[in-house]
Amino acid sequence: MYNQDANKGQKTLLGKSGEPVMPLSDVCLSFGCGDDGVSVSEQQQLCAIRDKGRDDYQDKMKELGIDYILSPAYVSVAPKQERVKYWGYTNLWNILDFPNVVFPTGLTCDSGLDAPDKDYKPRNDVEKYEYGLYDDASEFKGAPISLQLTGRRWFDEEVVKASQVIHEIITA
């Protein structure tokens, strides 16, 4: 869904900058169909899937009386720079067009408490790579821990305010 136009929109904008495309941008541009794009029929199918998912989430939140979803922003603490290739914790909300705020909790990695689980068995190559980035807790001592808050569609300002309230409570 991000690159159904064969990355034409993104590459046009990136080209205007005159700067080289960074390696992680290349990774992002390669996901899904990459530079192949999709047909108009496939694009319509993807939009229908997105719209159904959006409706399902909104209906379930309304049914259960849920105003906000508080969840992790990433699989770990703040990751090593220029290494992360997975954004699955945040991209769902972008696809569904739900307002979302990622914010620091004020908590940080304690390398004595937050050692990697050596018995962890990744389910796929993506998990293996991302989990492997957190290989030595001492390298992450003091790294910030963030959360994300997602709200109902069209309630952007409320999500920002609610994230500020949560941040104040956590850091008090």
Side-chain angles (χ1 to χ4, degrees):
M1 291 183 192
Y2 280 108
N3 55 13
Q4 56 193 325
D5 70 342
N7 291 315
K8 184 177 179 192
Q10 288 293 329
K11 287 190 173 185
T12 298
L13 292 171
L14 290 168
K16 288 180 181 181
S17 75
E19 296 179 11
V21 176
M22 301 301 289
L24 286 180
S25 294
D26 274 335
V27 169
C28 293
L29 294 171
S30 73
F31 283 157
C33 58
D35 289 341
D36 294 335
V38 298
S39 69
V40 171
S41 174
E42 291 168 323
Q43 191 263 345
Q44 289 176 331
Q45 290 173 3
L46 289 170
C47 287
I49 291 167
R50 178 204 60 210
D51 292 350
K52 180 173 181 344
R54 180 185 299 146
D55 291 344
D56 289 349
Y57 265 87
Q58 289 192 129
D59 291 347
K60 186 55 81 171
M61 288 175 76
K62 185 175 180 181
E63 173 191 329
L64 298 174
I66 295 172
D67 293 318
Y68 306 103
I69 299 171
L70 183 65
S71 58
Y74 181 61
V75 300
S76 170
V77 298
K80 295 175 184 176
Q81 292 184 359
E82 303 298 323
R83 302 280 304 275
V84 172
K85 296 181 181 179
Y86 180 74
W87 64 87
Y89 283 73
T90 56
N91 80 330
L92 170 65
W93 312 119
N94 292 327
I95 290 288
L96 297 179
D97 195 23
F98 277 36
N100 180 275
V101 176
V102 174
F103 60 94
T105 62
L107 302 172
T108 60
C109 178
D110 179 332
S111 57
L113 296 175
D114 302 320
D117 179 358
K118 299 298 183 192
D119 295 326
Y120 174 73
K121 302 281 188 257
R123 296 174 293 179
N124 54 51
D125 289 341
V126 172
E127 283 187 6
K128 182 177 181 180
Y129 174 81
E130 296 295 330
Y131 195 80
L133 294 177
Y134 187 78
D135 53 354
D136 180 358
S138 66
E139 292 181 27
F140 294 90
K141 182 179 181 185
I145 299 170
S146 295
L147 293 173
Q148 65 179 334
L149 189 70
T150 307
R152 293 184 187 182
R153 199 158 183 238
W154 312 118
F155 287 86
D156 300 51
E157 292 86 0
E158 290 83 352
V159 173
V160 171
K161 182 61 179 171
S163 70
Q164 291 169 336
V165 171
I166 292 170
H167 181 263
E168 289 169 10
I169 291 168
I170 291 173
T171 58

